[in-house]
Amino acid sequence: MSVRNSQPAMLLTWSISTALSPFSGLNLMVSRFAGKSGVQTGLRANGLHLSILALIGIVIISYIG
């Protein structure tokens, strides 16, 4: 992976880890409003969406390189 490809890859991994983390500010706020735990909000609700997003991002990054 070249330097040019490492920046989008780092951005992709950061955004996915932030959305999946049950301790991120957004997930804590949504879990509070929904009355669910942070794990249910972060992993269960966002898991499939972010898995698809990760695959699309990997394909795009591979295509760029």
Side-chain angles (χ1 to χ4, degrees), residues 27-39:
N27 281 337
L28 288 173
M29 184 177 63
V30 170
S31 67
R32 174 98 173 155
F33 291 145
K36 297 182 178 182
S37 71
V39 174

Side-chain angles (χ1 to χ4, degrees), residues 15-64:
S15 64
I16 290 172
S17 64
T18 301
L20 282 177
S21 173
F23 304 110
S24 70
L26 179 61
N27 281 337
L28 288 173
M29 184 177 63
V30 170
S31 67
R32 174 98 173 155
F33 291 145
K36 297 182 178 182
S37 71
V39 174
Q40 288 176 325
T41 304
L43 296 177
R44 292 185 186 161
N46 295 336
L48 178 63
H49 169 73
L50 290 172
S51 298
I52 294 169
L53 181 67
L55 289 175
I56 292 171
I58 291 169
V59 169
I60 291 172
I61 291 169
S62 299
Y63 181 73
I64 291 172

